[in-house]
């Protein structure tokens, strides 16, 4: 079964062709990062305009690379939400047009489910149940994945997402957008014990996250150092900040796996490409007998293939949308 899938929820215009939900025939991604960089973050109006300009070309390229035509496609998947409303609309309109013209099923996909499903593409034998830690620019979730289409949201951020905290701290350090990869790189050169930043665990049994206090604490530290005219060692700030955020993510993910009696933890989302997070997860995984999975870098950040995988599993489970499918910018899991 061939799935054509479209992702336009934020600043990547992407279209992919998948065979049976796990095999990627093409995954064309046009990133707008260079354009938004100038503004220090994603500008929604510009994102929508760029999606319109790019989408037809990207769809065409995805078919060409997969060496298939529209007539070979069996189902169309598209991100329904969460995301930027104007950006989502471009993907949904294109997907509806294709589904209508070819008279094939249209499947609306939750973007967060897509991030989880990126792992099914990467790890051909991975099967639920497992715990998934989804950490991206817009979301931080701990999810109990019970089946391919069955998810229980256990914890989420109460303020900033993990990636957002990385990006905001990076910005304060004068690093370009998106800052996560720069912090990752600098953290390797710094001392993670140089500065004591808070690890906000919230209530004893809580699986929620809160990163805005940590971000404020870094900003306060930078201000104080500037006022005292003292030298700021960017590498030490990056390493100490990253260690604080990772301590919380790793602790909560393993605690949840233990509570649910599961020995598989799967990572997803842009921050899952953080090398420090991967190292820590694998180390602790070895200590505790827990298997750790994460997608390759290209499948961590937003892409059409992950949406195609989710659409395939949703379709198999009997889920189908109609041409009245609406964008849901605030869609939860
Ligand atoms: O999943 P994604 O592409 O988009 C959203 O759905 O939000 O995630 C982008 C986020 C950005 O905040 C970016 O800074 C972060 O992922 N990121 C990283 C790394 N690579 C990307 N954060 C930390 N370390 C990295 N290596
Ligand atoms: Zn995403």
């Amino acid at each position: 079964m061939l799935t054509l899938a479209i992702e336009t929820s934020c600043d990547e215009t992407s279209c992919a062709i998948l065979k049976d939900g796990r095999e990627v025939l093409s995954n064309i991604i046009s990133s707008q990062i260079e354009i938004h960089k100038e503004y220090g973050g994603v500008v929604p109006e510009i994102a929508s305009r760029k999606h319109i300009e790019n989408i037809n070309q990207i769809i065409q390229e995805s078919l060409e690379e997969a060496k298939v035509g529209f007539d070979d496609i069996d189902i169309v998947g598209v991100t329904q939400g969460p995301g930027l409303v104007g950006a989502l609309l471009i993907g949904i309109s294109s997907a509806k047009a294709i589904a209508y013209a070819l008279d094939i099923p249209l499947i609306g996909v939750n973007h967060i489910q897509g991030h989880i499903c990126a792992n099914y593409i990467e790890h051909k034998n991975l099967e639920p149940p497992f715990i998934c830690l989804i950490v991206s620019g817009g979301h931080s979730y701990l999810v109990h994945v019970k089946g391919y289409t069955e998810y229980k949201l256990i914890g989420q951020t109460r303020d900033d997402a993990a990636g957002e905290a990385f990006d905001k701290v990076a910005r304060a350090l004068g690093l370009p957008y998106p800052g996560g990869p720069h912090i990752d790189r600098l953290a390797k050169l710094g001392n993670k014990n140089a500065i004591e930043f808070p690890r906000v665990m919230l209530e004893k049994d809580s699986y929620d996250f809160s990163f805005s206090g940590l971000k404020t604490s870094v900003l306060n530290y930078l201000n104080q150092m500037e006022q005292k005219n003292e030298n700021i060692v960017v590498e030490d700030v990056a390493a100490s900040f990253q260690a604080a955020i990772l301590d919380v993510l790793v602790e909560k993910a393993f605690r949840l796996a233990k509570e649910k009696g599961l020995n598989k933890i799967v990572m997803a989302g842009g921050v899952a490409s953080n090398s420090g997070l991967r190292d820590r997860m694998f180390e602790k995984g070895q200590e505790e007998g827990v298997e750790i999975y994460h997608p390759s870098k290209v499948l961590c950040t937003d892409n059409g293939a992950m949406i195609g995988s989710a659409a395939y599993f949703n379709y198999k489970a009997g889920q189908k949308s109609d041409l009245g499918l609406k964008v849901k910018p605030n869609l939860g899991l």
Side-chain angles (χ1 to χ4, degrees), residues 111 115 136 139 302 306:
H111 181 83
H115 273 300
S136 74
H139 330 278
D302 295 348
M306 68 185 201

Side-chain angles (χ1 to χ4, degrees), residues 268-281:
V271 182
S273 45
N274 183 273
S275 52
L277 178 61
R278 289 180 177 187
D279 291 349
R280 292 278 307 277
M281 293 292 284

Side-chain angles (χ1 to χ4, degrees), residues 7 9-12 111-112 115 135-139 161-167 177-185 242 268-276 297 300-303 306:
E7 152 64 34
S9 67
C10 192
D11 59 345
E12 261 97 28
H111 181 83
I112 311 299
H115 273 300
V135 271
S136 74
H139 330 278
E164 198 178 348
F166 269 96
D167 293 342
Y177 173 85
H182 296 282
I183 301 256
D184 188 356
R185 176 176 50 81
Q242 184 170 292
V271 182
S273 45
N274 183 273
S275 52
K297 210 168 160 196
C300 279
T301 46
D302 295 348
N303 66 88
M306 68 185 201

